[in-house]
Amino acid sequence: MTSCMEFIPALRAKFSVSLSAVIFLLGFGACSDPASVGLELAPQNSQVGVFYKEIPLEASVVLLDSFNTTNAGILIVGDEQDPYFGKTKSIGYTRLYIDQGSERPRSDALLDSAFFNLSTVSVNGSNLEQKKKYSVHLLSEPLLDTLYYNFSKLAFNPKPLAELEVVFKTTKDTLLLAPLSNEAAADIFSKLKRGLEFDNLFSFRKYLPGVAILPREGDNATAGFSLGGNTGMTFYYHYLGDTARKQYTITTFSSRSFNGITSDRRGTPTEVVKEYSKSYTTGPILGMKSGLGLAMRINTRPLDAFLDTLSGVVFNQVNFVLGPIEDQGEGQSPISGMVMKFVDTQNRVLLSSINKSELHVQGDGQPQVIEDDKGKLVPNNFFPSVTLINYESTQKWQRAGISSYFNALYKKQLQRQDWLLYAITPNTGDDFKRSLRQFKVSKDKVKVTVIYSKIK
């Protein structure tokens, strides 16, 4: 149970009572029996009771169906092993791009060096003081103008086009230079100087349909490589008698991409998770993992049972709290931002009657309902104002304020729905598409905490 002393500042600010009075109140009531807790704040029998309640919630895990990873903006490349999630591997697939206006080397150009550049924007893993390896492979089939999902994959040449080893330590953003193999560098540079393959983008992609970027098995780390001008091939060359070094770049700017995930959960608690969109219990521990698309469903039925016992109350502070989460070790960052989607019994996200957008719990201070064109109150569907579940590293818990949502339930403005926790924020985007981050939590550490007042 969360310490009562954590709520003293909130109570004191709300009711302007002395610190000694609040301590007496909390000590007398032991934060467990609302009926016995009260403070006389005014004469003539006007009395306010301040109460604290914890509501345990049941949770289950859900493997999301048709999880689209096309054009996430980041190539997720990782190989991870976990006793709960099993073995997870992610390969980044992308087309390549040339600027048809760029100056090409003349036929007498001499190649100095060639690299495949990887612009690293995130690193998550174990033993980051040890070498991690990445390899770049030429696709043997092209990316099509279609949607790709986390279970999608493409064939590629098993012989690397380029590869490198790197020690990240605490560095999470750096430009990696993987030398191209001599054979690949010579072949591409010869086409670049003389061939028709670089005359236009269509001919180029027929020659180089794209690449797959792979992690090394057993490295237990994941890197995120951004797409654009800094990820791709760079050729350095010069002309005889000219000391000036020139370069030609092949980038991933404006290139179709996706992340393909494979998961082997045999022998783990999540081995029972077989079907998409179905809720599963996995023993005493629950978990979420991005990339894999393993989300969490929260059964909110106990909220109704609690609210039905109340009358004449105001909710001062209500939080959804998940954690403390299991320790992940140094170098591993958990999922750090989530939203709460309304779902039906089949884990289908509920949609707005106004414009068919997904419905979420809205943030504190935000309207939970709005009027439709007929003047009827319906759930607010404005995504930028949703409530965010944020990871608080000091307490190691995931927490979100839901006071406004709770008040809307209490006033019967909203019908209670179960929640699907999904790793996304308005600022950083869809983490389920952009990482393999995860967290685990004991199933008895999922709850709503409520501080409320009753005026007699």
Side-chain angles (χ1 to χ4, degrees), residues 215-229:
R216 177 168 59 188
E217 185 173 0
D219 273 356
N220 207 28
T222 299
F225 303 120
S226 67
L227 296 174

Side-chain angles (χ1 to χ4, degrees), residues 44-65:
Q44 300 175 350
N45 294 324
S46 175
Q47 195 176 52
V48 174
V50 180
F51 311 109
Y52 172 72
K53 177 70 174 178
E54 286 187 358
I55 308 171
L57 300 179
E58 292 185 358
S60 53
V61 296
V62 179
L63 188 63
L64 301 181
D65 190 14

Side-chain angles (χ1 to χ4, degrees), residues 323-341:
I325 66 171
E326 300 283 305
D327 182 53
Q328 301 197 130
E330 188 177 358
Q332 292 275 14
S333 298
I335 293 172
S336 57
M338 294 181 287
V339 296
M340 309 151 84
K341 299 185 179 185

